[in-house]
Amino acid sequence: MADDRNITRGAIFAQAWPIILGQALMPLVSVVDVAVIGRLSDGRNLGGVALGTTILNLVFWSFGFLRMGVTGITAQAKGARDDEEVCATILRSLALGLGLGVMLLALSPVIVPLGLRLMAAPAGVGDAAHDFLTMRFLGAPAALGFYAINGWLLGLGRTRLALGVQALMNGMNIGLDLLFVGALGMGARGVGLGTTLAEWSALAGGIAAIALVLGPDWRGQLRTIGRARLLDMAAVRRLVVVNADIMVRTLALLAIFTWFTRSAAALGPVPLAANHVLMQMVSISAFVLDGFAFTAEARVGAAIGARSRATLLRAIRLTGEFSLGGGLLFSLAIFLAGPAAIAFLTHDAAIRGLANAMLPYCAAVPLVGVASWLLDGIFIGAIAGAALRNAALVALGLYLLTDFTLKPMGDAGIWIALLASYAYRAMALGFAVPGLLRRSR
């Protein structure tokens, strides 16, 4: 039985800070992409990267369950002290990730033009987006395989190892971005190629991390996982069912951000580029604050695996305190430092002007969104996929209704609808919390 006294604010922060740093590096790569393209090119190329990134996120993060589902399953196996299932989980999930990545690569000649058509790419933007996406799909197997490894490491609480692999990928990404785009002038194609090469390096680093976690006899440990255990139908069925629910949840949330970008694209290249500049600040805050949500995943999963309700409640309370404080700090930081960040990211006067006008809405996102991010972590750790799925579908439906209603307000209406989507999701998940606590008994 786990002891709730072992969970202190210091322990929570010690587990969260490597995730926070690693998460901060992820949007930093996108910020570098935007800065290089925004300062060395025009709004059409910046819009092309924005559209390409949106399409890629929609496709790749449809398989984000490889990270989220694996974290919860691994954490519960660890809490139950089932070391054999911990090993079997990474083998199953890594094989699934690599297989799905190969499938995406094979389908990319169909996915890329279809995505650009559905996004209604403005004139001059589509070519840059096509070049970017063609390069990025070459890294699909590595990206999805790394999702599984990252989720496994987080589920085990090995956040420093996860940080190390993340730093390897993002450091290479930034360096290659500056080389291919800044020095060689490869434009959007260079951005995509640099990221792809970095993803394959991260996969190699992740496999090395698995060996480090399992110890010197890691090969022997993996070989001892018999085929019967590896293909255990109950475990495989659980992985599929949980991942299916999380996949629907992820698709619904990605649809929100895809519609957000599409709505801006319908207003023209300037709103599209301005919103993409602002979304870099939103991404940084969301990725960093996800450090506490990821900590909640591991802590909640371990508490449920150990059948300790007291540990579960304490984990929820302490990660909630950190999340709320972080959301407030990020909102203030974006509001105060936003104008300087906008000026750094783009030299286009029209894009700067609109981005500054929309900055107050952008600054509100961390404070409004933090509850939904934390609740996501709690329910992922509990492997409560149905609640996550239902909340995301409710949020998507209400968001679309709000966006259509606020269309006369232009770009301001687009931002208000996005803010409302976070509130809708937090309320839907909040209604499911009592049921989660009842089941924990």
PDB file of all heavy atoms in Angstrom, residues 38-69:
ATOM      1  N   GLY A  38       9.869  33.951 -40.124  1.00  0.00           N
ATOM      2  CA  GLY A  38       9.242  35.269 -40.009  1.00  0.00           C
ATOM      3  C   GLY A  38      10.186  36.418 -40.254  1.00  0.00           C
ATOM      4  O   GLY A  38       9.778  37.473 -40.736  1.00  0.00           O
ATOM      5  N   ARG A  39      11.470  36.230 -39.942  1.00  0.00           N
ATOM      6  CA  ARG A  39      12.427  37.322 -40.107  1.00  0.00           C
ATOM      7  C   ARG A  39      13.161  37.267 -41.446  1.00  0.00           C
ATOM      8  O   ARG A  39      13.675  38.285 -41.913  1.00  0.00           O
ATOM      9  CB  ARG A  39      13.443  37.299 -38.970  1.00  0.00           C
ATOM     10  CG  ARG A  39      12.816  37.539 -37.595  1.00  0.00           C
ATOM     11  CD  ARG A  39      13.845  37.459 -36.490  1.00  0.00           C
ATOM     12  NE  ARG A  39      14.735  38.607 -36.521  1.00  0.00           N
ATOM     13  CZ  ARG A  39      14.483  39.767 -35.914  1.00  0.00           C
ATOM     14  NH1 ARG A  39      13.349  39.932 -35.253  1.00  0.00           N
ATOM     15  NH2 ARG A  39      15.342  40.764 -35.977  1.00  0.00           N
ATOM     16  N   LEU A  40      13.214  36.072 -42.048  1.00  0.00           N
ATOM     17  CA  LEU A  40      13.954  35.935 -43.298  1.00  0.00           C
ATOM     18  C   LEU A  40      13.053  35.769 -44.516  1.00  0.00           C
ATOM     19  O   LEU A  40      13.553  35.674 -45.632  1.00  0.00           O
ATOM     20  CB  LEU A  40      14.905  34.734 -43.220  1.00  0.00           C
ATOM     21  CG  LEU A  40      15.970  34.787 -42.111  1.00  0.00           C
ATOM     22  CD1 LEU A  40      16.836  33.541 -42.150  1.00  0.00           C
ATOM     23  CD2 LEU A  40      16.833  36.042 -42.260  1.00  0.00           C
ATOM     24  N   SER A  41      11.742  35.734 -44.290  1.00  0.00           N
ATOM     25  CA  SER A  41      10.838  35.528 -45.413  1.00  0.00           C
ATOM     26  C   SER A  41       9.598  36.386 -45.218  1.00  0.00           C
ATOM     27  O   SER A  41       9.551  37.250 -44.352  1.00  0.00           O
ATOM     28  CB  SER A  41      10.488  34.045 -45.522  1.00  0.00           C
ATOM     29  OG  SER A  41       9.791  33.795 -46.718  1.00  0.00           O
ATOM     30  N   ASP A  42       8.552  36.113 -46.030  1.00  0.00           N
ATOM     31  CA  ASP A  42       7.348  36.932 -45.947  1.00  0.00           C
ATOM     32  C   ASP A  42       6.223  36.162 -45.266  1.00  0.00           C
ATOM     33  O   ASP A  42       6.373  35.023 -44.853  1.00  0.00           O
ATOM     34  CB  ASP A  42       6.906  37.398 -47.341  1.00  0.00           C
ATOM     35  CG  ASP A  42       6.689  36.224 -48.297  1.00  0.00           C
ATOM     36  OD1 ASP A  42       6.439  35.096 -47.816  1.00  0.00           O
ATOM     37  OD2 ASP A  42       6.757  36.443 -49.521  1.00  0.00           O
ATOM     38  N   GLY A  43       5.051  36.836 -45.159  1.00  0.00           N
ATOM     39  CA  GLY A  43       3.908  36.266 -44.468  1.00  0.00           C
ATOM     40  C   GLY A  43       3.388  35.004 -45.115  1.00  0.00           C
ATOM     41  O   GLY A  43       2.830  34.137 -44.430  1.00  0.00           O
ATOM     42  N   ARG A  44       3.558  34.851 -46.428  1.00  0.00           N
ATOM     43  CA  ARG A  44       3.052  33.647 -47.086  1.00  0.00           C
ATOM     44  C   ARG A  44       3.821  32.409 -46.647  1.00  0.00           C
ATOM     45  O   ARG A  44       3.244  31.346 -46.418  1.00  0.00           O
ATOM     46  CB  ARG A  44       3.134  33.810 -48.608  1.00  0.00           C
ATOM     47  CG  ARG A  44       2.126  34.804 -49.182  1.00  0.00           C
ATOM     48  CD  ARG A  44       2.278  34.947 -50.670  1.00  0.00           C
ATOM     49  NE  ARG A  44       3.606  35.439 -51.027  1.00  0.00           N
ATOM     50  CZ  ARG A  44       4.048  35.586 -52.277  1.00  0.00           C
ATOM     51  NH1 ARG A  44       3.262  35.256 -53.277  1.00  0.00           N
ATOM     52  NH2 ARG A  44       5.258  36.053 -52.515  1.00  0.00           N
ATOM     53  N   ASN A  45       5.150  32.532 -46.529  1.00  0.00           N
ATOM     54  CA  ASN A  45       5.932  31.380 -46.068  1.00  0.00           C
ATOM     55  C   ASN A  45       5.648  31.066 -44.609  1.00  0.00           C
ATOM     56  O   ASN A  45       5.573  29.896 -44.219  1.00  0.00           O
ATOM     57  CB  ASN A  45       7.428  31.652 -46.260  1.00  0.00           C
ATOM     58  CG  ASN A  45       7.851  31.498 -47.708  1.00  0.00           C
ATOM     59  OD1 ASN A  45       7.550  30.501 -48.339  1.00  0.00           O
ATOM     60  ND2 ASN A  45       8.531  32.492 -48.239  1.00  0.00           N
ATOM     61  N   LEU A  46       5.473  32.107 -43.789  1.00  0.00           N
ATOM     62  CA  LEU A  46       5.125  31.886 -42.386  1.00  0.00           C
ATOM     63  C   LEU A  46       3.764  31.204 -42.291  1.00  0.00           C
ATOM     64  O   LEU A  46       3.565  30.271 -41.506  1.00  0.00           O
ATOM     65  CB  LEU A  46       5.104  33.228 -41.639  1.00  0.00           C
ATOM     66  CG  LEU A  46       4.777  33.171 -40.144  1.00  0.00           C
ATOM     67  CD1 LEU A  46       5.744  32.271 -39.407  1.00  0.00           C
ATOM     68  CD2 LEU A  46       4.803  34.585 -39.557  1.00  0.00           C
ATOM     69  N   GLY A  47       2.814  31.657 -43.112  1.00  0.00           N
ATOM     70  CA  GLY A  47       1.504  31.016 -43.138  1.00  0.00           C
ATOM     71  C   GLY A  47       1.579  29.571 -43.609  1.00  0.00           C
ATOM     72  O   GLY A  47       0.834  28.713 -43.137  1.00  0.00           O
ATOM     73  N   GLY A  48       2.507  29.284 -44.538  1.00  0.00           N
ATOM     74  CA  GLY A  48       2.674  27.918 -45.021  1.00  0.00           C
ATOM     75  C   GLY A  48       3.148  26.982 -43.922  1.00  0.00           C
ATOM     76  O   GLY A  48       2.649  25.854 -43.784  1.00  0.00           O
ATOM     77  N   VAL A  49       4.106  27.440 -43.122  1.00  0.00           N
ATOM     78  CA  VAL A  49       4.567  26.635 -41.995  1.00  0.00           C
ATOM     79  C   VAL A  49       3.444  26.463 -40.979  1.00  0.00           C
ATOM     80  O   VAL A  49       3.282  25.398 -40.379  1.00  0.00           O
ATOM     81  CB  VAL A  49       5.817  27.274 -41.348  1.00  0.00           C
ATOM     82  CG1 VAL A  49       6.200  26.541 -40.067  1.00  0.00           C
ATOM     83  CG2 VAL A  49       6.985  27.254 -42.330  1.00  0.00           C
ATOM     84  N   ALA A  50       2.642  27.543 -40.779  1.00  0.00           N
ATOM     85  CA  ALA A  50       1.517  27.466 -39.834  1.00  0.00           C
ATOM     86  C   ALA A  50       0.514  26.410 -40.273  1.00  0.00           C
ATOM     87  O   ALA A  50       0.074  25.572 -39.467  1.00  0.00           O
ATOM     88  CB  ALA A  50       0.829  28.828 -39.727  1.00  0.00           C
ATOM     89  N   LEU A  51       0.144  26.429 -41.550  1.00  0.00           N
ATOM     90  CA  LEU A  51      -0.813  25.446 -42.054  1.00  0.00           C
ATOM     91  C   LEU A  51      -0.228  24.024 -41.994  1.00  0.00           C
ATOM     92  O   LEU A  51      -0.909  23.079 -41.596  1.00  0.00           O
ATOM     93  CB  LEU A  51      -1.199  25.778 -43.495  1.00  0.00           C
ATOM     94  CG  LEU A  51      -2.381  26.716 -43.724  1.00  0.00           C
ATOM     95  CD1 LEU A  51      -2.660  26.825 -45.211  1.00  0.00           C
ATOM     96  CD2 LEU A  51      -3.611  26.219 -42.998  1.00  0.00           C
ATOM     97  N   GLY A  52       1.028  23.900 -42.422  1.00  0.00           N
ATOM     98  CA  GLY A  52       1.654  22.585 -42.408  1.00  0.00           C
ATOM     99  C   GLY A  52       1.738  22.008 -41.004  1.00  0.00           C
ATOM    100  O   GLY A  52       1.472  20.825 -40.789  1.00  0.00           O
ATOM    101  N   THR A  53       2.078  22.849 -40.034  1.00  0.00           N
ATOM    102  CA  THR A  53       2.156  22.397 -38.647  1.00  0.00           C
ATOM    103  C   THR A  53       0.792  21.952 -38.144  1.00  0.00           C
ATOM    104  O   THR A  53       0.671  20.941 -37.428  1.00  0.00           O
ATOM    105  CB  THR A  53       2.704  23.520 -37.758  1.00  0.00           C
ATOM    106  OG1 THR A  53       4.018  23.886 -38.209  1.00  0.00           O
ATOM    107  CG2 THR A  53       2.781  23.084 -36.306  1.00  0.00           C
ATOM    108  N   THR A  54      -0.251  22.689 -38.502  1.00  0.00           N
ATOM    109  CA  THR A  54      -1.602  22.333 -38.064  1.00  0.00           C
ATOM    110  C   THR A  54      -2.015  20.976 -38.629  1.00  0.00           C
ATOM    111  O   THR A  54      -2.556  20.124 -37.913  1.00  0.00           O
ATOM    112  CB  THR A  54      -2.602  23.409 -38.505  1.00  0.00           C
ATOM    113  OG1 THR A  54      -2.225  24.661 -37.912  1.00  0.00           O
ATOM    114  CG2 THR A  54      -4.016  23.057 -38.069  1.00  0.00           C
ATOM    115  N   ILE A  55      -1.768  20.755 -39.913  1.00  0.00           N
ATOM    116  CA  ILE A  55      -2.122  19.476 -40.537  1.00  0.00           C
ATOM    117  C   ILE A  55      -1.317  18.346 -39.908  1.00  0.00           C
ATOM    118  O   ILE A  55      -1.857  17.274 -39.585  1.00  0.00           O
ATOM    119  CB  ILE A  55      -1.873  19.546 -42.054  1.00  0.00           C
ATOM    120  CG1 ILE A  55      -2.833  20.543 -42.707  1.00  0.00           C
ATOM    121  CG2 ILE A  55      -2.021  18.164 -42.696  1.00  0.00           C
ATOM    122  CD1 ILE A  55      -2.508  20.868 -44.155  1.00  0.00           C
ATOM    123  N   LEU A  56      -0.024  18.582 -39.703  1.00  0.00           N
ATOM    124  CA  LEU A  56       0.827  17.548 -39.127  1.00  0.00           C
ATOM    125  C   LEU A  56       0.385  17.199 -37.710  1.00  0.00           C
ATOM    126  O   LEU A  56       0.345  16.026 -37.333  1.00  0.00           O
ATOM    127  CB  LEU A  56       2.276  18.019 -39.123  1.00  0.00           C
ATOM    128  CG  LEU A  56       3.283  16.917 -38.851  1.00  0.00           C
ATOM    129  CD1 LEU A  56       3.540  16.125 -40.126  1.00  0.00           C
ATOM    130  CD2 LEU A  56       4.582  17.485 -38.316  1.00  0.00           C
ATOM    131  N   ASN A  57       0.071  18.234 -36.911  1.00  0.00           N
ATOM    132  CA  ASN A  57      -0.396  17.971 -35.553  1.00  0.00           C
ATOM    133  C   ASN A  57      -1.678  17.150 -35.559  1.00  0.00           C
ATOM    134  O   ASN A  57      -1.871  16.260 -34.730  1.00  0.00           O
ATOM    135  CB  ASN A  57      -0.627  19.289 -34.806  1.00  0.00           C
ATOM    136  CG  ASN A  57       0.680  19.967 -34.425  1.00  0.00           C
ATOM    137  OD1 ASN A  57       1.730  19.349 -34.406  1.00  0.00           O
ATOM    138  ND2 ASN A  57       0.608  21.254 -34.140  1.00  0.00           N
ATOM    139  N   LEU A  58      -2.560  17.472 -36.486  1.00  0.00           N
ATOM    140  CA  LEU A  58      -3.810  16.731 -36.582  1.00  0.00           C
ATOM    141  C   LEU A  58      -3.555  15.262 -36.881  1.00  0.00           C
ATOM    142  O   LEU A  58      -4.179  14.374 -36.287  1.00  0.00           O
ATOM    143  CB  LEU A  58      -4.698  17.345 -37.674  1.00  0.00           C
ATOM    144  CG  LEU A  58      -6.029  16.628 -37.951  1.00  0.00           C
ATOM    145  CD1 LEU A  58      -6.904  16.645 -36.708  1.00  0.00           C
ATOM    146  CD2 LEU A  58      -6.752  17.262 -39.129  1.00  0.00           C
ATOM    147  N   VAL A  59      -2.609  14.983 -37.768  1.00  0.00           N
ATOM    148  CA  VAL A  59      -2.325  13.599 -38.156  1.00  0.00           C
ATOM    149  C   VAL A  59      -1.515  12.885 -37.076  1.00  0.00           C
ATOM    150  O   VAL A  59      -1.909  11.822 -36.586  1.00  0.00           O
ATOM    151  CB  VAL A  59      -1.579  13.562 -39.504  1.00  0.00           C
ATOM    152  CG1 VAL A  59      -1.178  12.130 -39.848  1.00  0.00           C
ATOM    153  CG2 VAL A  59      -2.451  14.150 -40.615  1.00  0.00           C
ATOM    154  N   PHE A  60      -0.384  13.473 -36.676  1.00  0.00           N
ATOM    155  CA  PHE A  60       0.503  12.795 -35.733  1.00  0.00           C
ATOM    156  C   PHE A  60      -0.139  12.644 -34.363  1.00  0.00           C
ATOM    157  O   PHE A  60      -0.080  11.574 -33.750  1.00  0.00           O
ATOM    158  CB  PHE A  60       1.829  13.555 -35.605  1.00  0.00           C
ATOM    159  CG  PHE A  60       2.822  13.241 -36.695  1.00  0.00           C
ATOM    160  CD1 PHE A  60       2.411  12.774 -37.935  1.00  0.00           C
ATOM    161  CD2 PHE A  60       4.179  13.421 -36.498  1.00  0.00           C
ATOM    162  CE1 PHE A  60       3.314  12.500 -38.950  1.00  0.00           C
ATOM    163  CE2 PHE A  60       5.104  13.155 -37.501  1.00  0.00           C
ATOM    164  CZ  PHE A  60       4.665  12.700 -38.720  1.00  0.00           C
ATOM    165  N   TRP A  61      -0.760  13.733 -33.865  1.00  0.00           N
ATOM    166  CA  TRP A  61      -1.307  13.650 -32.511  1.00  0.00           C
ATOM    167  C   TRP A  61      -2.617  12.884 -32.451  1.00  0.00           C
ATOM    168  O   TRP A  61      -3.145  12.649 -31.360  1.00  0.00           O
ATOM    169  CB  TRP A  61      -1.440  15.040 -31.891  1.00  0.00           C
ATOM    170  CG  TRP A  61      -0.170  15.379 -31.171  1.00  0.00           C
ATOM    171  CD1 TRP A  61       0.782  16.285 -31.554  1.00  0.00           C
ATOM    172  CD2 TRP A  61       0.329  14.793 -29.965  1.00  0.00           C
ATOM    173  NE1 TRP A  61       1.830  16.281 -30.665  1.00  0.00           N
ATOM    174  CE2 TRP A  61       1.570  15.378 -29.678  1.00  0.00           C
ATOM    175  CE3 TRP A  61      -0.168  13.815 -29.100  1.00  0.00           C
ATOM    176  CZ2 TRP A  61       2.329  15.026 -28.568  1.00  0.00           C
ATOM    177  CZ3 TRP A  61       0.585  13.461 -27.993  1.00  0.00           C
ATOM    178  CH2 TRP A  61       1.812  14.061 -27.736  1.00  0.00           C
ATOM    179  N   SER A  62      -3.121  12.464 -33.599  1.00  0.00           N
ATOM    180  CA  SER A  62      -4.216  11.494 -33.570  1.00  0.00           C
ATOM    181  C   SER A  62      -3.742  10.206 -32.914  1.00  0.00           C
ATOM    182  O   SER A  62      -4.545   9.425 -32.391  1.00  0.00           O
ATOM    183  CB  SER A  62      -4.702  11.193 -34.992  1.00  0.00           C
ATOM    184  OG  SER A  62      -5.220  12.349 -35.604  1.00  0.00           O
ATOM    185  N   PHE A  63      -2.425   9.991 -32.935  1.00  0.00           N
ATOM    186  CA  PHE A  63      -1.830   8.810 -32.326  1.00  0.00           C
ATOM    187  C   PHE A  63      -1.128   9.159 -31.015  1.00  0.00           C
ATOM    188  O   PHE A  63      -0.261   8.418 -30.542  1.00  0.00           O
ATOM    189  CB  PHE A  63      -0.847   8.166 -33.308  1.00  0.00           C
ATOM    190  CG  PHE A  63      -1.493   7.774 -34.604  1.00  0.00           C
ATOM    191  CD1 PHE A  63      -1.470   8.630 -35.699  1.00  0.00           C
ATOM    192  CD2 PHE A  63      -2.157   6.562 -34.729  1.00  0.00           C
ATOM    193  CE1 PHE A  63      -2.082   8.283 -36.895  1.00  0.00           C
ATOM    194  CE2 PHE A  63      -2.767   6.207 -35.924  1.00  0.00           C
ATOM    195  CZ  PHE A  63      -2.741   7.069 -37.007  1.00  0.00           C
ATOM    196  N   GLY A  64      -1.523  10.286 -30.422  1.00  0.00           N
ATOM    197  CA  GLY A  64      -0.946  10.697 -29.155  1.00  0.00           C
ATOM    198  C   GLY A  64      -1.263   9.750 -28.023  1.00  0.00           C
ATOM    199  O   GLY A  64      -0.632   9.809 -26.963  1.00  0.00           O
ATOM    200  N   PHE A  65      -2.237   8.849 -28.235  1.00  0.00           N
ATOM    201  CA  PHE A  65      -2.535   7.840 -27.212  1.00  0.00           C
ATOM    202  C   PHE A  65      -1.313   6.973 -26.932  1.00  0.00           C
ATOM    203  O   PHE A  65      -1.195   6.368 -25.865  1.00  0.00           O
ATOM    204  CB  PHE A  65      -3.705   6.955 -27.644  1.00  0.00           C
ATOM    205  CG  PHE A  65      -3.504   6.223 -28.941  1.00  0.00           C
ATOM    206  CD1 PHE A  65      -2.707   5.096 -29.009  1.00  0.00           C
ATOM    207  CD2 PHE A  65      -4.136   6.657 -30.102  1.00  0.00           C
ATOM    208  CE1 PHE A  65      -2.529   4.407 -30.206  1.00  0.00           C
ATOM    209  CE2 PHE A  65      -3.969   5.970 -31.301  1.00  0.00           C
ATOM    210  CZ  PHE A  65      -3.157   4.851 -31.357  1.00  0.00           C
ATOM    211  N   LEU A  66      -0.381   6.897 -27.894  1.00  0.00           N
ATOM    212  CA  LEU A  66       0.829   6.115 -27.673  1.00  0.00           C
ATOM    213  C   LEU A  66       1.653   6.695 -26.525  1.00  0.00           C
ATOM    214  O   LEU A  66       2.392   5.975 -25.858  1.00  0.00           O
ATOM    215  CB  LEU A  66       1.678   6.075 -28.951  1.00  0.00           C
ATOM    216  CG  LEU A  66       1.103   5.224 -30.082  1.00  0.00           C
ATOM    217  CD1 LEU A  66       1.793   5.545 -31.392  1.00  0.00           C
ATOM    218  CD2 LEU A  66       1.243   3.741 -29.735  1.00  0.00           C
ATOM    219  N   ARG A  67       1.533   7.987 -26.298  1.00  0.00           N
ATOM    220  CA  ARG A  67       2.187   8.598 -25.151  1.00  0.00           C
ATOM    221  C   ARG A  67       1.286   8.534 -23.925  1.00  0.00           C
ATOM    222  O   ARG A  67       1.669   8.064 -22.854  1.00  0.00           O
ATOM    223  CB  ARG A  67       2.531  10.059 -25.474  1.00  0.00           C
ATOM    224  CG  ARG A  67       3.699  10.638 -24.679  1.00  0.00           C
ATOM    225  CD  ARG A  67       3.365  10.967 -23.242  1.00  0.00           C
ATOM    226  NE  ARG A  67       2.279  11.910 -23.109  1.00  0.00           N
ATOM    227  CZ  ARG A  67       1.591  12.102 -21.999  1.00  0.00           C
ATOM    228  NH1 ARG A  67       1.838  11.375 -20.922  1.00  0.00           N
ATOM    229  NH2 ARG A  67       0.606  12.967 -21.941  1.00  0.00           N
ATOM    230  N   MET A  68       0.044   8.969 -24.079  1.00  0.00           N
ATOM    231  CA  MET A  68      -0.845   9.121 -22.922  1.00  0.00           C
ATOM    232  C   MET A  68      -1.305   7.785 -22.363  1.00  0.00           C
ATOM    233  O   MET A  68      -1.259   7.550 -21.148  1.00  0.00           O
ATOM    234  CB  MET A  68      -2.032   9.995 -23.310  1.00  0.00           C
ATOM    235  CG  MET A  68      -1.633  11.441 -23.572  1.00  0.00           C
ATOM    236  SD  MET A  68      -2.976  12.452 -24.223  1.00  0.00           S
ATOM    237  CE  MET A  68      -2.935  11.993 -25.943  1.00  0.00           C
ATOM    238  N   GLY A  69      -1.774   6.893 -23.211  1.00  0.00           N
ATOM    239  CA  GLY A  69      -2.244   5.599 -22.728  1.00  0.00           C
ATOM    240  C   GLY A  69      -1.130   4.787 -22.102  1.00  0.00           C
ATOM    241  O   GLY A  69      -1.320   4.123 -21.073  1.00  0.00           O
TER     242      GLY A  69
END
